[in-house]
Amino acid sequence: MRKMVGILKIGGGVLTDKTKLESPRMETIERIAAEVASSSSGLVLVHGAGSFGHIHADKYDLREKFDPEGILETHRSVVRLNEIVVEALCRAGAHPVPVHPLSCALLQDGRIEDMNIGPLTEMIERGLLPVLHGDVVMDRARGADILSGDQIITHLARSLGADVVALGTREDGVIYGGEVVSRVTRENYHRIEPELGGSRGVDDVTGGMRMKVMELLDLADDGIPSLIFNAGKKGMIEKALEGELVGTLVEGSS
């Protein structure tokens, strides 16, 4: 019998203070690690880079030019956050394994062309918790580019046939008119799109909430719904992974 597969993304703005260089929110990381550890069977975790990646990528302008020094510094930075997350998961009793996209993914004009998921499948089958992150990745056309955690989760959801896809942010979901939108589809996206802003703190080189929703609508077109929820609130991760509507459901057209 195929093991159920869940994909959970925790945004960098949840795990770090994006206004300060490499500033982890350790209390939040420990709490999230404990919640993930209790729900880690058949789970893939992807986390954003926050102040560990975006500031470096912005400094070296990696979306616009190829810079070997910038590639190294940005990757080293996101790996430092990944190590913090992995260590917290170990302390919480999970069995995490770090997986760095720079070493297993290849882009073409900013989109994933190839990603080796064979090891991920084996990790899941053997009860390990793969932990991926936003990263700088080689690109056939551009030399290198930034690969967001949002694009990683949609690619993995398709490749692994995910049963649950959940994105933990600092918001209660997609906000329109000051209220949480319970469902986003192609039909109502253009109405709410003007209010979808970027992220807080440093300019987010991966596009903020607008790009998240666009990625997830494409995923919904392939028949895989997803949930955007507030991972800054205790207990929401478990509810999201169990399929409760605790935020905004992004789904296909009715």
Side-chain angles (χ1 to χ4, degrees):
M1 179 182 294
R2 186 184 79 88
K3 178 175 287 190
M4 296 278 288
V5 175
I7 298 179
L8 172 66
K9 192 242 176 163
I10 303 295
V14 178
L15 302 175
T16 75
D17 180 349
K18 295 181 78 170
T19 68
K20 300 176 183 178
L21 179 64
E22 300 195 0
S23 300
R25 302 180 190 273
M26 289 307 303
E27 185 175 340
T28 298
I29 290 172
E30 295 289 350
R31 190 242 327 146
I32 287 175
E35 293 185 18
V36 169
S38 67
S39 307
S40 62
S41 178
L43 187 65
V44 176
L45 177 63
V46 180
H47 65 79
S51 61
F52 281 77
H54 294 299
I55 291 176
H56 293 281
D58 187 60
K59 172 185 175 182
Y60 290 99
D61 200 16
L62 291 183
R63 301 231 72 159
E64 301 298 327
K65 64 182 181 180
F66 183 83
D67 188 312
E69 181 180 351
I71 292 169
L72 178 60
E73 288 305 309
T74 301
H75 178 67
R76 280 177 167 172
S77 180
V78 296
V79 167
R80 284 192 285 274
L81 178 58
N82 184 254
E83 289 174 347
I84 291 171
V85 172
V86 166
E87 288 301 318
L89 287 163
C90 287
R91 288 191 292 272
H95 301 290
V97 181
V99 179
H100 306 308
L102 176 61
S103 302
C104 63
L106 180 65
L107 307 182
Q108 175 69 45
D109 284 320
R111 304 299 300 177
I112 296 174
E113 178 181 272
D114 185 44
M115 190 169 188
N116 186 4
I117 67 163
L120 296 180
T121 302
E122 195 67 19
M123 291 172 190
I124 295 167
E125 286 297 320
R126 294 182 180 273
L128 299 176
L129 171 61
V131 185
L132 295 84
H133 52 86
D135 204 352
V136 59
V137 173
M138 302 311 294
D139 187 301
R140 289 190 188 276
R142 305 174 185 177
D145 203 351
I146 302 302
L147 175 60
S148 71
D150 301 320
Q151 190 182 158
I152 292 172
I153 63 170
T154 56
H155 181 83
L156 293 181
R158 294 182 181 98
S159 301
L160 298 173
D163 300 285
V164 177
V165 180
L167 281 77
T169 71
R170 293 182 65 190
E171 304 291 343
D172 290 334
V174 175
I175 308 298
Y176 178 76
E179 301 292 335
V180 176
V181 180
S182 61
R183 287 175 170 79
V184 174
T185 66
R186 290 288 181 192
E187 283 76 13
N188 68 358
Y189 172 71
H190 293 294
R191 175 170 57 86
I192 66 175
E193 190 270 341
E195 290 195 18
L196 299 182
S199 68
R200 304 172 185 175
V202 66
D203 289 341
D204 193 335
V205 294
T206 58
M209 183 62 79
R210 181 176 288 106
M211 291 305 298
K212 287 180 184 5
V213 174
M214 290 176 65
E215 287 280 354
L216 297 178
L217 282 172
D218 288 343
L219 183 64
D221 289 341
D222 292 334
I224 303 176
S226 57
L227 184 71
I228 299 174
F229 71 101
N230 192 337
K233 293 183 176 180
K234 184 178 180 180
M236 290 297 105
I237 289 175
E238 180 181 2
K239 292 180 179 180
L241 292 177
E242 289 180 350
E244 289 190 40
L245 184 56
V246 292
T248 297
L249 182 66
V250 183
E251 60 182 350
S253 302
S254 57

